[in-house]
Every structure is written in C-alpha cells, then in structure tokens.
C-alpha cells in the first residue's frame, strides 16, 4: 500500500539497505580470510612507543603505521623515506 502511494519508497528502501552499518563483519568477507598479525603498542607518555613501533615497522616486510597527529605522520614519512624505505602518506585532508 505504501509503495503505491509514495513514488520514492523503493529508493528509501535501497538507501536503508546500502547504509546498514549493523554487520561490518559481512562487508569484506575475502579480506577477513587474510592472516594478519596486529601489534598494538600501549604505554605511558614518553615511554618509547612510537620509537619501538617504527623500529619494528622498518624490519617488517610490509606494514602500516597510524599516527595520532598529522605532524607526527609527516615526520615519520620524512624519516622513513630518508632511510630509503618506500612510504606513502595518507591524511584526512
């Protein structure tokens, strides 16, 4: 009955289906098959977390470093690039 009365009903239904965020584990099923090792460095301020994380990253075959600040990300990018390590810098802007 509603579909007959409202032309946009089907578009709203499709929009609701495409924007459903309740099952993120179903979004990328093939990516979930990848074997990953995630290393999380936690500790108090000035305890060497960033230093240790970057040392491990340098020794790794491939990896990703997520920086909490754009300035830290840019500094890390410059340092790794200067050492001859292929690096990409992606920021939110």
């Amino acid at each position: 009955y509603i579909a007959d009365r409202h032309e946009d009903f089907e578009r709203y239904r499709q929009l609701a289906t495409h924007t459903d965020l309740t099952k993120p584990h179903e979004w990328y099923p093939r990516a979930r098959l990848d074997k990953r090792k995630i290393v999380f460095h936690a500790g108090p301020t000035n305890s060497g977390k960033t230093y240790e994380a970057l040392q491990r990253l340098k020794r790794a075959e491939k990896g990703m470093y997520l920086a909490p600040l754009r300035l830290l990300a840019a500094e890390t990018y410059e340092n790794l690039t200067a050492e001859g390590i292929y690096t990409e810098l992606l920021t939110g802007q």
Side-chain angles (χ1 to χ4, degrees), residues 71-85 87 89:
L71 183 60
L72 182 57
E75 180 182 333
T76 301
Y77 171 80
E78 290 172 6
N79 290 341
L80 291 175
T81 302
E83 293 183 33
I85 299 170
T87 310
L89 175 64

Side-chain angles (χ1 to χ4, degrees), residues 15-81:
L15 180 63
T17 301
H18 293 308
T19 58
D20 180 11
L21 302 178
T22 59
K23 299 175 185 165
H25 60 282
E26 294 178 359
W27 295 346
Y28 303 101
R30 294 186 69 201
R32 295 182 59 80
L33 299 175
D34 289 346
K35 300 296 181 206
R36 296 186 178 114
K37 179 179 180 182
I38 298 173
V39 178
F40 177 77
H41 290 266
T45 301
N46 209 19
S47 63
K49 298 180 298 289
T50 300
Y51 177 80
E52 270 310 308
L54 293 176
Q55 294 307 309
R56 288 188 66 140
L57 180 60
K58 289 176 190 178
R59 293 190 308 263
E61 187 176 313
K62 62 181 179 177
M64 182 182 301
Y65 173 73
L66 306 176
L69 302 168
R70 183 171 298 132
L71 183 60
L72 182 57
E75 180 182 333
T76 301
Y77 171 80
E78 290 172 6
N79 290 341
L80 291 175
T81 302

